[in-house]
Amino acid sequence: MSKVVEISPTTRHEGHSKLVMQVNDDGIVERGDWLSITPVRGIEKLAIGKTMEQVPKIASRVCGICPIAHTLAGVEAMEASIGCEIPEDAKLLRYILQCANRTHSHALHNILSLPDMHIPGTDVKINPFTKEEPVRSAALRIQRLREIAQTIGEIVGGEAIHPSNPRVGGCYKNITPRAKAKIYDLAKEGRLLAQEHMEFMISVFRDFQTRGTTEVGGVEVEIPDDLGYHRQGYMATAPMYGSSSLDANPTWFPERFTEVRPWDWYMGEVEISEADPNYPIGGTTPVGNKAWPQMEACTGVPLYDGQPIEVGPRARLVQFKNYDEKGAMGLQIARQMEFPDTMYGILDAVDALNTSGPVVADKIPQGDGSLGWAANEAPRGTDVHLARVKDGRVQYYSLLVPTTWNFPTCSRALTGAPWRLAEVIMRAYDPCVSCATHMLVIDEDKRLVAQKLIQ
Amino acid sequence: MDVLGNYKSVISARSTDKDITKKSQDGGIITTLFAYALEEGIIDGAIVAGPGDEPWKPEPVVATTKAELLAAAGTRYTISPNLNLIKEATRSYGLDRVGIVGTPCQMQAVRKAQLYPIGMRDVDDKIALALGIFCMENLSYQALEAIVEDHCNQKMESVKKMDIGKGKFTVYTERGAVSQMPLKLLSKYVQPGCNVCLDYVANLADISSGSVGSPDGWSTVFVRSMKGNAVWDGAIAADLFETKPMDQVKPGLDLVTKLATEKITKNQKNVDARKTFGLKADGTAKGLRNPYETP
């Protein structure tokens, strides 16, 4: 006889979400729904009628961990719609910004996932706040990596959180030779730290893979070998940057995308019949409460080739480097493997940068209403923005954000895991729930049905 | 209230660098100090009022060489929004130690950004040297044009130097002509925002400098902060300045004090008058905002 358990809210990720799970008598998830309960802010609706310069700056405020992704995808969707080719040096500045943001984001996520893990070879769980070694030096290394990344982002992007430098047509400013030298120095320091840190983090996740059990809220939980396995596919557009409809050979295909309502995909109304008041910290939802994922989920369910897919670090490595490790730890390890490339990416791009080159296109067309799209490989995966611009104003705007893609995939990946490890699986996706929550929901007839959610 | 602010020492000084004094308004204090600070690595760039796209219209620039500093030497009696670059200097310019020169209000802005950085991330710890200049009041560019071209009857393009002193606005042309306007005609041209300013000698700067109190070609210098003191001592040790004790120069500190007191007294009255600027329907006073008070 299956029971229903709910973890709400989930913790150590960005935004507000919950897990509703049907579990068997052994506490193993039979069907899990992971859903956003972040209030819909409706960026895509309020963008309509605003200028193409303003909208990416608003879209940036979707998320403060990966504002770079939304700024760049937003700006480049506008450029794709109006058909504007930006100068080479502006592309390089954006590329450096992208790499820097990925370093910072991955390092920040380490702080969030480490408390689930153990100091390798011991039963001691990692507390990132402790002054004890070896955790202290790892925490300091994370902070220095993030400081380096945010400083580089600040120089090329104008601002580390909500970059001010990117604009439709390129960037506002090129950097000075002095700033270029500063980026070199920081990236060289960061490259060594990133290597060291990647090795440390992989050893921690490998240790978790080889453990038999782990303790959650006083309960010793068995770790299945196939923790977080799923049979969905992967989607990625580039190892580092992205793609857009201006490319000669775009790597994302809008015709393969469809979206269904949470109504069609999530569980119906259920009553919570299992609870654990000791689940850290504060317990799970008490027995007798109701949950209704169909109605409560604040995201659409995007499909690629008719299926939910996984996006993110593993998807990129699978697509471009034949990575083949599955499961939650496989995903975590793939994320760490992206560390060195970000710093090499910065060094290569800054090498190629001409600090006296122009960074704004000579001509910025005002648009005729054509559909343009841009995909940015955000730290968490493919972030696609679609836009129609006419006479400098946005007529249509839609965001397909990494965590939106991952919500249904991750829900499937919960099956077969002890429910007490569901958050460990979810965290492997580095969820960014604010990012994922957006208004536009399209049903099979391509009609807007967001109203249904609001009722 | 101490109208001259806190300071460690006050000196009358002039740069020993002839390249600088040829172009400087008075003693060349600011240009020399920034050139010294650049050379010593105390700063790696300074925000100064560089040449703009119209004659005598300043444009804030980040100077990283002595040549750029020299291009900014001399007083332009119109607004130069130097704080515009304070954040950008730490971004695309990649500076770690920023120097900035400005009028008293601009020094206030620097200090406020350091203590209450609103949208000013990473600015506070990168201000390495803030140099202030004395300021009685400022003018819009149109006002400056009216004074130079109408009152003084000179073309802006021909002007070599402008100076306010001894009750006159004086314009010197490249070809040797000198025109003057009595300062009592100036008031209608003054930026209205200057009328509530309660700072004459840049009280919040590390070092502040101006012409009043010292002879022509010399400047009165207040060394205020620990940082300012270290830089000043270094510059003196490097023989960059000729100095005279303030009590041995004419007209001396008394005149500085007198003008500072006049400015503050007059403007404090303006500040106070704002409180009862208007009337409500019931006949009671309705005021304008006072930035020095918590609303």
Side-chain angles (χ1 to χ4, degrees), chain A residues 150-151 154-156 158-161 173-176 178-179 182, chain B residues 44 85 87-88 90-97 119 121-122 126:
Chain A
Q150 295 291 63
T151 307
E154 202 168 79
I155 295 170
V156 291
E159 201 61 86
I161 302 173
K173 296 202 97 178
N174 204 332
I175 61 172
T176 62
R178 186 193 161 79
K182 188 171 170 182
Chain B
D44 36 43
L85 284 175
K87 185 152 99 171
E88 196 59 38
T90 67
R91 304 298 199 264
S92 63
Y93 292 92
L95 302 192
D96 296 297
R97 294 169 292 269
R121 187 176 167 141
D122 283 350
K126 294 197 169 61

Side-chain angles (χ1 to χ4, degrees), chain A residues 5 67 103 106 109 139 149 210 249 298 331 345 373 382 389 391 425 432 446:
Chain A
V5 60
T103 311
H106 284 0
H109 182 249
T210 54
N249 298 303
C298 296
L331 177 47
W373 60 261
T382 311
V389 179
D391 302 328
I425 298 172
C432 190
K446 303 277 178 197

Side-chain angles (χ1 to χ4, degrees), chain B residues 233-245:
Chain B
D233 285 351
I236 295 292
D239 283 332
L240 295 178
F241 293 110
E242 282 178 73
T243 61
K244 288 180 188 169

Side-chain angles (χ1 to χ4, degrees), chain B residues 55-56 144-162 169-181:
Chain B
W56 293 91
L144 186 67
E145 270 186 318
I147 290 163
V148 172
E149 302 219 328
D150 299 343
H151 289 275
C152 296
N153 198 21
Q154 298 293 351
K155 288 297 284 179
M156 292 288 267
E157 290 85 347
S158 316
V159 177
K160 192 174 75 177
K161 182 170 180 169
M162 298 179 197
F169 191 105
T170 311
V171 171
Y172 303 88
T173 70
E174 303 239 18
R175 289 159 203 86
V178 181
S179 303
Q180 290 189 316
M181 181 192 84

Side-chain angles (χ1 to χ4, degrees), chain A residues 159-195:
Chain A
E159 201 61 86
I161 302 173
H162 308 313
S164 53
N165 200 18
R167 53 163 289 173
V168 175
C171 290
Y172 284 100
K173 296 202 97 178
N174 204 332
I175 61 172
T176 62
R178 186 193 161 79
K180 177 171 167 166
K182 188 171 170 182
I183 293 176
Y184 258 124
D185 291 347
L186 288 168
K188 281 179 194 160
E189 184 192 343
R191 196 195 69 70
L192 294 176
L193 286 178
Q195 180 74 28

Side-chain angles (χ1 to χ4, degrees), chain B residues 180-194:
Chain B
Q180 290 189 316
M181 181 192 84
L183 272 189
K184 62 173 188 281
L185 298 179
L186 193 76
S187 61
K188 71 171 173 184
Y189 294 112
V190 168
Q191 282 287 312
C194 296

